[in-house]
Every structure is written in structure tokens, then in C-alpha cells.
């Protein structure tokens, strides 16, 4: 049970998952900018992609606190704090939203990275990664944005941009067996990071792991290891993943109230099974809310952003 619990904890690597999200953001947004580098379109789409769902969740948590006293973060429900949380400047109300504050701060960094790559090539971006990595050891920089935010893995966005532009070339170095072995090693690094203290060096290893996996998934679609990513259930959770991330602290809270841990202890339920059961219940609680948020908030506002872009294009053409 002790080994199983440590294994679950290792792969329940929250910070590692956030670092992976940062690399993936750099990769996907670089691909978007490669197709259309218009900065107005880029910032508009970023706004309609990130803010509506986050604001809806902050509003929901505020309402739940006012009505039922429910709390998943700090008791920060004065008008100014609510406004700052709605604008993703602070994350007192929903602690996991610190990563969205960093994501917003990284938006101009990604735009700059794509521009630098086009003008000056790969070496400049590696220099930027090295500079930001060195800064990740300096406390005032790491906590520059305040609150729960952590700028230590900020370079992960630039690594994602590099993964987009150079990933196809890098994957030519991998044969089928080596690619599979490298992917398994990257997954192992992720688990190692989850079992370790999140130092600057561990964050760098997690960034490397994420870049390898994203590069192989994007460029080596023939790999058997990644076929489960095409399952309908996995794609469903991929679609609702942003809303799921924003809402999952509520699911964890409800699961902890549903499960009577003291009774499980009396029944000598293994800790690892308790953790798995709690995770399953949290997923069940979070999924419907995440789907509704995706269906009625995320998707309509993403569509609205694209519609506004088409209207501007038609006005410019006329």
C-alpha cells in the first residue's frame, strides 16, 4: 500500500502538469502564429479563449460562498479582490488559477518568441530559455506576480515555441524503438518530478519531459503508445480540459465531503484505494460542470472571437 500510494502521488504531479500545459501553450500558439501572425487576432483570440470561462468560475465560486459559505481558496470576496480575480490578476478565490495569470503574462512572450525565431533563428530562443532558466533560481523573480503565481517555469513557453519550429527535425533522429523508449523515459521523468521537491532543476526536467512527449505526439502519430489519445473519452476530456481544470478544486472538495475517511480508516481501507476512490468521485463531480461550462461559456465565446475576426476582415476588404 505504501508503494502504491507513493506511485499515485508521483504521477499526480500537479506542478508537472502545469509545466506541461505551459509547453503545450507555447507549441500550439506558435503553430497558430505561424499560420496567421496578426497580433490583433492573436490577442483577441487569447482573450475570448481564456477569460470568459475563468470569469464564470470566479462568479460561481463567489455565489457559492455568499449563499453557502463554501470556500476553496482564501476568503477574498471583497469587491476589489473579486474584480482582480475576474481579471486573472489574482487567484485568491481559486488557487489553481495562478497558472492562468502566468499564461496571460506569457502571451506577449510567445508572440515575441515567434518574431525572434523568424528574424534571428533558433539560437536566440535558446539564449532566452537560458536567461529565464537562470532567473528561475532567484526568488524575487519567481514570485514577481505575487500570490500563488510561480514564474520559475516561465521559459517552458519558449521551449514550446522551439518544439513547434524544430520538432519535425528533432524527431528525425528517432527510430521507432528509440522514440518509444524516449517517450517512456519522459513519462518516467514526469513521475520522478512528482515524487520530488519542486526545485528549479526538477521543473527543468519536467519541461524537458513535456517537450519530448508533445514533440513525439505531434510528429510521430504512428506510435502505438499514443493511440489511446484518439479514444473518444480522451478526446472528450481534451475538449473540456480547461473548464475541468478551473472547476476541479470544487470536485475535490465535494469528494472529500462524500468520503468518510475516518470510517475508511476504521475499516482498514488501504490508503491507495482511498486515494483512487476519492479521485474517481472528484472526476464524477467535476465532469458535468466542466461540460456545461465548455458548452455554454467556452465554445460560444471562442466562436464569438472568430466571428469578430471575420467581420474585421470583411470590413478591411470592403
Amino acid at each position: 500500500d505504501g508503494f502504491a500510494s507513493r506511485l499515485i502521488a508521483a504521477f499526480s504531479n500537479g506542478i508537472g502538469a502545469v509545466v506541461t500545459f505551459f509547453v503545450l501553450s507555447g507549441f500550439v500558439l506558435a503553430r497558430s502564429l505561424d499560420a496567421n501572425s496578426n497580433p490583433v487576432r492573436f490577442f483577441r483570440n487569447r482573450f475570448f479563449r481564456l477569460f470568459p470561462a475563468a470569469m464564470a468560475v470566479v462568479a460561481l465560486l463567489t455565489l457559492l460562498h455568499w449563499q453557502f459559505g463554501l470556500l476553496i481558496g482564501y476568503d477574498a470576496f471583497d469587491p476589489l479582490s473579486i474584480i482582480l480575480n475576474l481579471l486573472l490578476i489574482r487567484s485568491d478565490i481559486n488557487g489553481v488559477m495562478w497558472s492562468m495569470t502566468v499564461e496571460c503574462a506569457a502571451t506577449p512572450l510567445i508572440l515575441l518568441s515567434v518574431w525572434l525565431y523568424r528574424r534571428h533563428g533558433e539560437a536566440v530562443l535558446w539564449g532566452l530559455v537560458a536567461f529565464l532558466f537562470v532567473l528561475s533560481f532567484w526568488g524575487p523573480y519567481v514570485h514577481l506576480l505575487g500570490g500563488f503565481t510561480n514564474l520559475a517555469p516561465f521559459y517552458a513557453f519558449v521551449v514550446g515555441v522551439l518544439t513547434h519550429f524544430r520538432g519535425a527535425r528533432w524527431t528525425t533522429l528517432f527510430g521507432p524503438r528509440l522514440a518509444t523508449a524516449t517517450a517512456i523515459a519522459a513519462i518516467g521523468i514526469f513521475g520522478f518530478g512528482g515524487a520530488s521537491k519542486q526545485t528549479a532543476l526538477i521543473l527543468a526536467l519536467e519541461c524537458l519531459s513535456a517537450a519530448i512527449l508533445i514533440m513525439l505526439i505531434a510528429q510521430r502519430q504512428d506510435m502505438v503508445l499514443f493511440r489511446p489519445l484518439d479514444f473518444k473519452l480522451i478526446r472528450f476530456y481534451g475538449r473540456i480540459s480547461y473548464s475541468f481544470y478551473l472547476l476541479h478544486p470544487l470536485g475535490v472538495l465535494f469528494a472529500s465531503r462524500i468520503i468518510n475517511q475516518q470510517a475508511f480508516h476504521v475499516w482498514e481501507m488501504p490508503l491507495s484505494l482511498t486515494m483512487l476512490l476519492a479521485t474517481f468521485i472528484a472526476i464524477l463531480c467535476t465532469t458535468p460542470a466542466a461540460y456545461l461550462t465548455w458548452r455554454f461559456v467556452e465554445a460560444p465565446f471562442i466562436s464569438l472571437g472568430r466571428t469578430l475576426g471575420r467581420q474585421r476582415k470583411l470590413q478591411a476588404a470592403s
Side-chain angles (χ1 to χ4, degrees):
D1 183 50
F3 173 77
S5 299
R6 288 193 294 273
L7 191 64
I8 293 169
F11 286 97
S12 302
N13 184 357
I15 294 296
V18 169
V19 173
T20 302
F21 168 66
F22 289 169
V23 177
L24 184 60
S25 290
F27 176 84
V28 171
L29 295 179
R31 176 171 288 191
S32 174
L33 284 166
D34 211 14
N36 186 336
S37 60
N38 186 320
V40 175
R41 180 201 69 89
F42 180 66
F43 282 107
R44 181 184 61 245
N45 288 353
R46 283 282 80 200
F47 176 84
F48 282 104
R49 181 69 183 90
L50 298 178
F51 278 84
M55 296 173 82
V57 171
V58 170
L60 172 65
L61 293 175
T62 301
L63 180 63
L64 290 174
H65 178 72
W66 286 348
Q67 293 296 318
F68 307 107
L70 189 144
L71 197 65
I72 63 170
Y74 287 112
D75 189 355
F77 292 96
D78 58 279
L80 178 59
S81 293
I82 293 172
I83 292 171
L84 292 176
N85 277 266
L86 288 169
L87 296 176
L88 299 180
I89 296 172
R90 285 171 54 176
S91 53
D92 316 86
I93 293 175
N94 188 4
V96 301
M97 287 173 61
W98 72 266
S99 62
M100 305 318 304
T101 302
V102 177
E103 175 82 13
C104 291
T107 298
L109 174 67
I110 294 169
L111 186 64
L112 173 66
S113 297
V114 172
W115 181 83
L116 286 173
Y117 180 87
R118 287 175 171 169
R119 291 292 297 271
H120 304 288
E122 179 181 351
V124 176
L125 288 196
W126 282 119
L128 182 57
V129 169
F131 174 70
L132 294 174
F133 173 67
V134 171
L135 285 179
S136 71
F137 291 85
W138 185 38
Y141 161 78
V142 171
H143 304 292
L144 181 65
L145 298 180
F148 298 103
T149 57
N150 183 352
L151 284 178
F154 203 50
Y155 55 84
F157 295 99
V158 187
V159 171
V161 173
L162 280 165
T163 303
H164 162 67
F165 282 113
R166 308 307 291 171
R169 186 190 70 175
W170 294 336
T171 50
T172 60
L173 304 174
F174 295 89
R177 291 183 178 179
L178 180 58
T180 300
T182 303
I184 293 172
I187 294 170
I189 291 171
F190 181 88
F192 174 76
S196 307
K197 183 180 179 182
Q198 294 293 321
T199 64
L201 289 176
I202 292 296
L203 291 172
L205 283 175
E206 290 167 343
C207 179
L208 174 64
S209 166
I212 290 171
L213 289 171
I214 290 167
M215 176 183 68
L216 291 175
I217 290 169
Q219 303 296 337
R220 299 297 294 269
Q221 298 177 18
D222 58 323
M223 289 180 61
V224 176
L225 184 64
F226 299 133
R227 284 183 185 171
L229 295 176
D230 291 323
F231 293 171
K232 288 184 178 180
L233 183 64
I234 301 298
R235 287 184 171 272
F236 167 75
Y237 276 102
R239 284 195 298 274
I240 69 169
S241 59
Y242 178 42
S243 291
F244 192 99
Y245 176 72
L246 295 174
L247 288 162
H248 85 269
L250 270 179
V252 173
L253 176 65
F254 293 149
S256 67
R257 293 187 177 184
I258 291 170
I259 292 178
N260 188 334
Q261 295 187 10
Q262 291 183 343
F264 283 5
H265 180 70
V266 171
W267 299 338
E268 298 184 350
M269 172 82 76
L271 176 62
S272 55
L273 290 181
T274 304
M275 294 168 67
L276 289 173
L277 180 60
T279 300
F280 179 71
I281 294 174
I283 291 171
L284 287 181
C285 292
T286 307
T287 300
Y291 172 77
L292 292 173
T293 305
W294 169 78
R295 176 68 178 80
F296 295 106
V297 180
E298 275 193 75
F301 276 97
I302 291 172
S303 178
L304 175 61
R306 291 171 179 169
T307 300
L308 291 175
R310 287 193 294 268
Q311 289 177 350
R312 286 180 61 88
K313 196 177 285 188
L314 288 173
Q315 289 173 358
S318 62

